[in-house]
Amino acid sequence: MLRRTLLYLLLIMGSAVAGYAQAGVRISGTVRDSASGEPLRFVTIRALGTRSGTVSDKNGGFVLQIAADHLKAVRDSGSLRLAFSLVGYRSLEYRLPLADTSIDVVLSEQAVRTRTVVVMSEDPGTRIMRRVLERKERQRTALQRYTYMLYTKFVAITDTATAMRSTGMGDSTVFSILESYSRGYVQVPDRYFNEILQRRQTANIPAQANFVAFGTNLNVFDDELSVLGEVIETPFHPDALDDYEFLLRTAEEEPVAEILVRPRTDGFKAFYGTIFVDQTEARPLEVRLQPNAAVNLPFDASLAIRQTFVDVEGMILPEALSITSSLKADLLFVFSPRLDVDLATFCYDYEVGAEFSSDVFEQRRVEISPMADDFDTAFWQNNLKLPLRPEEAYAYEEIQRLRDDPDSLESTFFNQFLGPLATVITRLNREPFTTTDDVFRYNRIHGAYLGMGLQFRPDTIVELRASAGYGFGNQQWYGSIGSTVFLDPLQHWSVDGGTYSLLKRRDDPNLVRRSLITATTLLFGNDYGDYYQADGWEAGVTYAWGQLRFLRAGRFGRPNTIRSFVRSERHFAVQSIDTWSLFTSGASDRPQPQAMQGALQSIGAELFLNYRPERSIGRTGMFLYAEHANPAILATDFSFSRMEATGFLRTRTWPLFTLDLAASVGWTWGDVPPQRFFSLESAVSGIAVGSAFRVMGVKEFYGDRYATFSLSHNWGEVIPGLLRIPNIASFGIEFITFGSVGWTQFGPRTLAYTRTDLPTTDTSRERVYYEVGLGINRLLLFFRLDVNARLSQVDTPQWRVTISSATF
């Protein structure tokens, strides 16, 4: 009987151990300072003998979930050994049973000998960092590719007035939380891909706006770090020994060196702070950094970065990351919302030299798994890295309750008034809709236009497009229907086609967009476009390459494309109508150039290199366009050839200064109709876009050939941090000087064929147009104000002030 009882007990114990081994083990608890009792953040907790680890949060809390497959290596011992370590504290080990356990841990500060200051030609900190950089150079050639898992948590905290609720934290309220798990793929030097496997967010944030899913892991060990659009040189840059001072604060004999790092000058964007280095392995253990004065952060926000590193098969890779930021957005002395941001990430399950297809880099940099929004309880439990703090868990529940309660303050104020409008606008700019431009627009040809545009994919290889609308001013219907079929799994090759009856523009519709034309026409009766009616069809073949980039309205595209097309259209002239505007009345005083009527059938090609007409995706790139119409090839009423090329380049002239160059040229041959003329692009109603001329009148100069050149030099803040004006320019005022020159001409054949009397620069006294200006950049963060002087076709300089979006 006794033996049978013992056997039953052994079976029960064995089953329990086996059960833990199958389901995994969870260890949770807190870590505190032994002397003060204060919680310790960034304590690394590892289960020795396994690949499992985690880090403590700002409250000292931690959860270490050890998956069943990680327990195989320690199952025979029947216990776990947990190691707790933090720079500046004595490491500690605990032996625990293979069972879910909660423990409280205290760590004691480690006595560290400080360095005796001795005047030397080179600080020992520099010698230590030289070894670190030498190791990084060896890693640069040895580390080619790897994968990892990444957990990310973004918490936004604001004042109770802005949040319109309270979570019991005084004047601070958790406004939103965004979390995600992703698998990352890296191929050196600059190819990255992340697949979001799971994500969740508070109820006030739609899943599509969970921007935690739109970034990859930040690594301070890289040469440069991009934070909010600011590219900052790190202390691990190849030039760091020349650009930074490294001062050893601990004794040289200490195994862990504490090194004070600071830039030699504020003349470049850099960090200052502390680096902890394992001297034996020349390996950084942790960095604690802040940006210097040269870094322009929104509303002069504070920013602190803390990151730890792990040695994986001899490679130094990032592990835990914390970015904390606080800003108070004083705007024109009226609004003063406060925002505190806490971003935490944890990398784990590294596989150095992992085998995977390079095809993953042909997708968007971040892809969302189809199951990402289906909450998988088991996945979250098995991968838990940073537990929700009590106030965060409460925020999840409270925000959901407020969203569900129609009588809540948030529902009454926001949802009933601003919420529905914002929701509709957002929805119309997301698939399956195209943009709000296809719902309403306004110009001097059709007046008010109401319609709808759709664009969607019924499957992975076909994309369908359709639009329809009615112009109330000229009482005419417009519409289009088309499709694109992708021919290969990676969707590099595609064929497209469509038929349409549209109001088209002779000028570049991607420079001054329809939304801006709607605004300027409604307000001032100033319509920028030159229009003609086109009924017909177009078909093309496209090859695109490069990683997918966001364009607009939920659409993505590759940065490089080459497309050939055939087009068949019948063109009609259109007439301007009397349009209503808020500040003017009657028709525009600018005549509408009349298109030649007839059938235009043409073939052509276009090449984009690091350029997309829908959106700027780079500061260096080019495009080339060619079109040919020949009655001997196609049944067309016109015979001409047209080519246009644009190139742009950004280069650094000094660490904080940049020079932008842009040049365009267009030329035509044959009998060119007016709808294929060129014009110099300008500002409209005091609003300038891109490198358009600022003082020139709208469509002041035309031609069948043209050339432009512009340069713009950004001098930064001149003296970093000096001109940061509260409420107006706390982001930091930048100064820009620029100049532009343009030339247009009509050839004799075009003059004889069209009998046009449109003006050109070539017939003016100077034969070219030119202007210069001074820009004040990043006013209220998003705007740029230019003071411009026209120096040609006038006896004295003509001055004008224009506004545009800020240049970044």
Side-chain angles (χ1 to χ4, degrees):
M1 183 68 179
L2 179 61
R3 283 185 296 177
R4 184 178 299 175
T5 302
L6 290 174
L7 180 60
Y8 284 147
L9 289 174
L10 288 173
L11 289 174
I12 292 171
M13 292 174 64
S15 298
V17 172
Y20 285 121
Q22 292 174 4
V25 170
R26 173 178 291 192
I27 311 297
S28 61
T30 59
V31 188
R32 297 183 179 275
D33 183 283
S34 62
S36 66
E38 292 294 320
L40 294 177
R41 187 178 193 180
F42 254 67
V43 176
T44 299
I45 303 103
R46 300 192 191 283
L48 300 180
T50 77
R51 297 172 57 193
S52 298
T54 189
V55 67
S56 61
D57 63 20
K58 66 190 300 183
N59 290 345
F62 71 90
V63 172
L64 177 59
Q65 182 72 38
I66 309 172
D69 57 340
H70 287 194
L71 288 171
K72 294 177 181 178
V74 297
R75 188 181 302 168
D76 294 338
S77 67
S79 63
L80 281 172
R81 285 192 303 132
L82 257 61
F84 294 79
S85 60
L86 176 65
V87 171
Y89 286 79
R90 296 182 185 276
S91 298
L92 194 63
E93 286 191 16
Y94 275 81
R95 185 175 291 273
L96 301 171
L98 279 174
D100 292 351
T101 308
S102 179
I103 59 173
D104 292 322
V105 178
V106 292
L107 296 183
S108 302
E109 284 195 72
Q110 180 155 13
V112 178
R113 290 171 293 174
T114 58
R115 177 190 168 212
T116 301
V117 178
V118 178
V119 178
M120 306 176 69
S121 59
E122 181 178 73
D123 191 276
T126 301
R127 291 201 300 270
I128 295 171
M129 286 302 298
R130 180 176 288 110
R131 292 177 54 221
V132 172
L133 294 175
E134 288 171 352
R135 175 170 178 171
K136 180 180 177 180
E137 283 305 307
R138 294 193 298 270
Q139 175 172 313
R140 198 188 299 272
T141 57
L143 182 62
Q144 295 301 312
R145 52 170 49 194
Y146 60 90
T147 63
Y148 60 91
M149 285 290 294
L150 173 68
Y151 168 72
T152 304
K153 179 170 68 173
F154 176 94
V155 181
I157 299 173
T158 186
D159 55 276
T160 55
T162 301
M164 294 185 293
R165 56 184 174 81
S166 173
T167 50
M169 299 166 55
D171 191 37
S172 295
T173 298
V174 176
F175 181 74
S176 61
I177 306 172
L178 304 92
E179 299 177 87
S180 71
Y181 284 93
S182 63
R183 179 172 295 280
Y185 300 79
V186 178
Q187 182 171 304
V188 175
D190 56 1
R191 305 190 78 183
Y192 306 92
F193 171 70
N194 270 48
E195 181 185 16
I196 304 301
L197 305 177
Q198 285 277 285
R199 65 179 178 182
R200 68 177 179 181
Q201 54 282 322
T202 47
N204 56 346
I205 304 293
Q208 297 87 346
N210 186 341
F211 58 85
V212 168
F214 289 89
T216 52
N217 191 34
L218 294 175
N219 184 3
V220 179
F221 198 57
D222 287 341
D223 297 343
E224 296 177 330
L225 200 64
S226 180
V227 179
L228 296 175
E230 294 286 277
V231 178
I232 311 171
E233 179 181 318
T234 75
F236 302 102
H237 191 278
D239 298 329
L241 295 178
D242 296 324
D243 297 338
Y244 281 94
E245 289 182 317
F246 298 102
L247 307 175
L248 182 64
R249 301 183 65 179
T250 53
E252 293 187 59
E253 298 80 15
E254 287 290 333
V256 176
E258 180 180 345
I259 300 173
L260 179 67
V261 54
R262 61 192 183 198
R264 296 183 184 274
T265 173
D266 279 337
F268 72 106
K269 296 175 182 179
F271 290 107
Y272 66 89
T274 306
I275 301 176
F276 298 91
V277 177
D278 182 331
Q279 293 209 63
T280 304
E281 301 178 0
R283 174 170 65 93
L285 300 174
E286 183 180 330
V287 295
R288 302 173 185 176
L289 302 173
Q290 293 179 295
N292 68 347
V295 177
N296 287 334
L297 295 176
F299 305 104
D300 207 20
S302 63
L303 182 73
I305 297 177
R306 188 173 179 181
Q307 187 166 47
T308 61
F309 303 93
V310 61
D311 188 320
V312 181
E313 300 179 21
M315 302 297 151
I316 302 170
L317 295 170
E319 188 175 45
L321 169 72
S322 169
I323 298 179
T324 56
S325 179
S326 181
L327 63 87
K328 189 173 183 180
D330 293 323
L331 298 175
L332 299 176
F333 306 95
V334 177
F335 305 105
S336 298
R338 192 190 83 246
L339 178 65
D340 300 325
V341 170
D342 190 344
L343 174 66
T345 71
F346 189 81
C347 290
Y348 60 104
D349 285 359
Y350 277 104
E351 291 188 29
V352 173
E355 293 296 327
F356 57 84
S357 173
S358 296
D359 291 348
V360 298
F361 302 115
E362 298 298 323
Q363 307 172 78
R364 293 179 291 186
R365 185 162 182 170
V366 175
E367 291 283 356
I368 311 299
S369 166
M371 306 299 292
D373 296 319
D374 296 335
F375 190 81
D376 185 338
T377 303
F379 180 94
W380 285 82
Q381 289 179 347
N382 293 334
N383 288 272
L384 185 60
K385 293 301 174 185
L386 295 173
L388 292 175
R389 300 191 293 271
E391 62 270 23
E392 295 169 356
Y394 178 71
Y396 264 112
E397 298 175 359
E398 183 192 38
I399 293 172
Q400 183 63 60
R401 177 177 56 81
L402 290 172
R403 298 282 291 183
D404 295 338
D405 180 7
D407 296 323
S408 69
L409 176 63
E410 184 185 39
S411 286
T412 301
F413 179 76
F414 184 79
N415 290 346
Q416 293 186 15
F417 296 96
L418 301 179
L421 178 60
T423 301
V424 169
I425 292 175
T426 301
R427 193 73 187 91
L428 291 174
N429 282 286
R430 188 180 299 146
E431 192 176 289
F433 303 102
T434 50
T435 66
T436 52
D437 287 346
D438 288 326
V439 177
F440 175 78
R441 52 182 181 260
Y442 192 77
N443 63 37
R444 59 177 174 154
I445 304 301
H446 56 50
Y449 169 100
L450 288 179
M452 183 63 68
L454 298 174
Q455 180 170 306
F456 59 94
R457 290 191 175 190
D459 56 39
T460 58
I461 65 170
V462 177
E463 181 179 87
L464 301 178
R465 303 176 301 277
S467 68
Y470 183 73
F472 289 89
N474 60 358
Q475 300 180 355
Q476 183 166 334
W477 285 96
Y478 299 93
S480 68
I481 185 169
S483 66
T484 299
V485 178
F486 296 95
L487 304 179
D488 63 305
L490 296 178
Q491 301 187 355
H492 291 297
W493 287 97
S494 64
V495 294
D496 63 88
T499 181
Y500 46 81
S501 176
L502 295 174
L503 183 67
K504 284 194 169 185
R505 286 170 55 187
R506 181 207 49 76
D507 54 281
D508 182 1
N510 292 296
L511 183 67
V512 177
R513 299 185 185 276
R514 291 182 300 192
S515 56
L516 181 55
I517 286 179
T518 295
T520 58
T521 307
L522 277 172
L523 292 174
F524 312 108
N526 195 355
D527 188 337
Y528 186 85
D530 285 347
Y531 302 93
Y532 63 95
Q533 177 73 26
D535 299 342
W537 58 268
E538 181 176 333
V541 178
T542 301
Y543 178 75
W545 67 99
Q547 195 163 36
L548 288 168
R549 307 277 189 88
F550 175 76
L551 300 178
R552 62 193 297 254
R555 295 183 58 239
F556 289 78
R558 302 191 187 279
N560 311 296
T561 61
I562 183 169
R563 178 176 182 264
S564 59
F565 64 84
V566 57
R567 181 183 295 145
S568 177
E569 298 177 339
R570 178 160 290 277
H571 291 179
F572 303 92
V574 294
Q575 301 295 325
S576 298
I577 63 172
D578 291 342
T579 54
W580 176 90
S581 62
L582 184 62
F583 298 111
T584 60
S585 60
S588 169
D589 58 0
R590 185 175 70 84
Q592 165 69 38
Q594 293 299 296
M596 277 190 174
Q597 298 191 175
L600 173 56
Q601 297 192 22
S602 61
I603 56 176
E606 52 191 6
L607 171 68
F608 300 132
L609 297 177
N610 199 38
Y611 175 84
R612 292 296 301 229
E614 305 96 327
R615 176 179 176 267
S616 173
I617 60 173
R619 292 299 182 180
T620 299
M622 65 161 291
F623 86 85
L624 178 67
Y625 176 89
E627 183 183 15
H628 180 67
N630 188 339
I633 301 176
L634 298 169
T636 178
D637 294 334
F638 305 100
S639 178
F640 68 92
S641 297
R642 186 179 193 266
M643 292 192 68
E644 186 174 15
T646 292
F648 47 95
L649 168 71
R650 169 169 288 186
T651 185
R652 195 172 295 278
T653 57
W654 201 254
L656 292 178
F657 303 159
T658 56
L659 175 66
D660 287 298
L661 305 174
S664 296
V665 61
W667 208 272
T668 61
W669 298 266
D671 298 329
V672 185
Q675 55 266 40
R676 289 297 185 265
F677 288 171
F678 300 107
S679 62
L680 298 185
E681 307 301 349
S682 65
V684 54
S685 298
I687 303 172
V689 180
S691 58
F693 292 98
R694 265 57 177 170
V695 191
M696 179 187 297
V698 173
K699 302 295 189 301
E700 186 174 347
F701 298 110
Y702 290 85
D704 64 359
R705 59 203 66 177
Y706 84 101
T708 65
F709 176 77
S710 67
L711 61 84
S712 174
H713 193 279
N714 189 325
W715 302 91
E717 292 186 89
V718 183
I719 302 176
L722 179 63
L723 295 176
R724 297 189 180 176
I725 307 170
N727 291 277
I728 298 173
S730 54
F731 193 81
I733 288 179
E734 294 181 340
F735 294 96
I736 299 175
T737 54
F738 55 91
S740 303
V741 60
W743 167 83
T744 66
Q745 183 189 67
F746 282 118
R749 183 167 178 174
T750 300
L751 291 172
Y753 176 65
T754 63
R755 300 185 182 279
T756 181
D757 59 356
L758 293 172
T760 71
T761 66
D762 194 62
T763 57
S764 69
R765 179 182 57 194
E766 295 87 350
R767 303 193 64 182
V768 295
Y769 173 91
Y770 47 92
E771 65 181 30
V772 296
L774 172 66
I776 304 174
N777 195 34
R778 301 189 182 185
L779 293 173
L780 294 177
L781 180 59
F782 299 110
F783 301 102
R784 167 178 161 180
L785 188 71
D786 295 329
V787 179
N788 314 275
R790 174 175 180 163
L791 305 177
S792 62
Q793 290 84 39
V794 291
D795 295 327
T796 59
Q798 181 181 345
W799 298 88
R800 179 173 296 176
V801 176
T802 58
I803 191 170
S804 61
S805 58
T807 301
F808 291 96

